[in-house]
């Protein structure tokens, strides 16, 4: 991964989430966030933690870009299915199978966003616990919030928005919480044209929401990366200054002891 570049923000965008071990978009699982939190807290050595922070932020940025692009693709594809359904009594099984695949990928997108949010907030908590200089750093967030609490707020808002969209279609978040329950719900809805249209409309709305939410999450991650870059550079500057002072001290010439009155032993 890239290391320090000419600007702090570019460098630190390359800093954060090798430990998150985010899975490929097509195979993400809901439990990945929990494992990510464990990875951060298991790093007992502070130097290892810092090295890890320096090694992987681009992965997060690239992941969010891919997630956003995929959400846009799914949004457009579901609109095509909606138009097809308006011109036919019911989508045939082979077309509905593609719909199910797209909607399940959409569920995975939601999972990945939550995983990134959880992991980045957890990293913020660990750094605050281990480094006073980081905990004291002013982040310019509203109401003196930490990044951890801001990620939690983003996560809550995203879940609530999705829940409201599902509720408007007489569905629940539980029905789209896991791959198994999602597939069960979609197979039930596929039995009628009205059910198919409802699933397509809900999916289209959620996809649009995720495009917006992932852009917000990407902005939050970028803000955190920039702040962390400033902190890490300050820490390194302090270390370099201390080292320079030590070298100057040990290389300096001892003061002369000649020219003064010599001590005499008197009996």
């Amino acid at each position: 991964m890239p290391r320090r570049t000419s600007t702090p923000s570019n460098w630190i965008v390359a800093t954060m989430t090798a430990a998150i071990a985010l899975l490929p978009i097509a195979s993400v699982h809901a439990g990945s966030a929990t494992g990510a939190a464990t990875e951060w807290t298991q790093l007992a050595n502070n130097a290892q933690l810092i090295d890890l922070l320096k090694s992987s932020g681009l992965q997060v940025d690239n992941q969010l870009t891919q997630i956003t692009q995929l959400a846009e693709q799914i949004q457009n594809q579901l609109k095509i299915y909606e138009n097809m359904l308006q011109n036919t009594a019911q989508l045939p099984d082979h077309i509905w199978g593609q719909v199910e695949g797209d909607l399940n990928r959409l569920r995975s997108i939601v999972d990945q966003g939550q995983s990134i949010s959880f992991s980045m907030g957890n990293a913020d908590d660990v750094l605050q616990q281990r480094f006073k200089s980081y905990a004291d750093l002013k982040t310019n967030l509203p109401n003196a919030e930490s990044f951890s609490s801001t990620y939690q707020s983003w996560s809550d808002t995203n879940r609530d928005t999705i829940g409201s969209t599902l509720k408007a279609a007489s569905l629940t978040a539980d029905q789209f919480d896991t791959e198994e329950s999602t597939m069960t719900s979609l197979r039930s809805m596929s039995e009628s044209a009205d059910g198919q249209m409802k699933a397509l409309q809900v999916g289209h709305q959620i996809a649009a929401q995720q495009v917006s939410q992932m852009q917000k999450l990407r902005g939050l991650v970028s803000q955190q990366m920039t702040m962390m870059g400033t902190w890490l550079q300050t820490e390194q500057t302090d270390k370099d200054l201390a080292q320079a002072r030590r070298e100057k001290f040990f290389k300096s010439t001892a003061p002369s002891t000649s020219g003064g009155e010599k001590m005499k032993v008197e009996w």
Side-chain angles (χ1 to χ4, degrees):
M1 303 300 293
R3 294 298 192 267
R4 189 189 302 261
T5 61
S6 58
T7 63
S9 59
N10 287 340
W11 165 61
I12 201 60
V13 163
T15 62
M16 198 89 167
T17 323
I20 295 179
L22 291 173
L23 301 177
I25 288 176
S27 61
V28 69
H29 295 283
S32 59
T34 304
T38 303
E39 295 240 18
W40 291 118
T41 55
Q42 284 180 345
L43 290 171
N45 188 309
N46 287 344
Q48 291 178 342
L49 176 62
I50 295 300
D51 286 342
L52 192 56
L53 293 175
K54 290 180 180 179
S55 70
S56 54
L58 262 184
Q59 188 174 351
V60 177
D61 189 65
N62 291 337
Q63 187 87 7
L64 288 171
T65 299
Q66 293 171 20
I67 290 172
T68 303
Q69 291 173 346
L70 181 58
E72 290 174 339
Q73 293 171 11
I74 292 174
Q75 181 185 4
N76 294 333
Q77 189 62 46
L78 292 177
K79 191 63 178 177
I80 293 174
Y81 293 140
E82 283 187 58
N83 293 334
M84 292 175 60
L85 184 56
Q86 289 173 354
N87 298 316
T88 184
Q90 192 170 340
L91 292 177
D93 289 343
H94 72 281
I95 296 295
W96 186 252
Q98 296 174 24
V99 173
E100 289 183 346
D102 284 336
L103 291 175
N104 193 45
R105 279 190 288 274
L106 181 59
R107 180 197 58 78
S108 296
I109 286 174
V110 175
D111 283 348
Q112 287 192 79
Q114 296 290 348
S115 177
I116 292 174
S117 172
F118 186 90
S119 299
M120 300 298 281
N122 180 262
D124 186 68
D125 284 336
V126 172
L127 286 169
Q128 288 192 64
Q129 293 167 4
R130 296 193 183 186
F131 300 95
K132 186 177 185 302
S133 59
Y134 179 88
D136 291 342
L137 188 66
K138 301 299 182 183
T139 62
N140 296 320
L141 291 173
N143 303 320
E145 292 180 339
S146 66
F147 276 103
S148 178
S149 61
T150 305
Y151 281 117
Q152 184 62 54
S153 177
W154 177 90
S155 178
D156 292 342
T157 299
N158 195 33
R159 285 199 307 269
D160 291 344
T161 302
I162 293 172
S164 298
T165 301
L166 292 170
K167 185 177 180 180
S170 301
L171 298 168
T172 67
D174 290 342
Q175 289 176 285
F176 283 83
D177 191 42
T178 65
E179 181 175 358
E180 181 179 357
S181 59
T182 298
M183 291 299 99
T184 299
S185 299
L186 291 175
R187 291 189 185 101
S188 175
M189 299 175 79
S190 70
E191 297 175 358
S192 68
D194 181 65
Q196 287 186 347
M197 180 60 74
K198 184 184 296 184
L200 290 170
Q201 290 173 343
V202 167
H204 187 271
Q205 291 179 46
I206 292 177
Q209 292 164 4
Q210 291 312 294
V211 170
S212 175
Q213 288 298 105
M214 293 306 159
Q215 290 172 344
K216 292 178 181 178
L217 181 59
R218 188 179 181 187
L220 183 57
V221 170
S222 178
Q223 185 180 4
Q224 184 182 14
M225 295 297 104
T226 300
M227 187 276 290
M228 288 187 59
T230 302
W231 171 68
L232 287 170
Q233 285 192 328
T234 301
E235 289 288 292
Q236 188 60 49
T237 298
D238 290 344
K239 291 179 181 178
D240 292 344
L241 181 59
Q243 180 63 24
R245 287 174 174 170
R246 283 192 295 269
E247 292 176 357
K248 183 177 179 180
F249 175 81
F250 287 111
K251 289 180 180 178
S252 61
T253 304
S256 175
T257 57
S258 62
E261 182 178 353
K262 294 182 179 180
M263 294 182 62
K264 297 179 180 179
V265 179
E266 297 182 354
W267 301 98

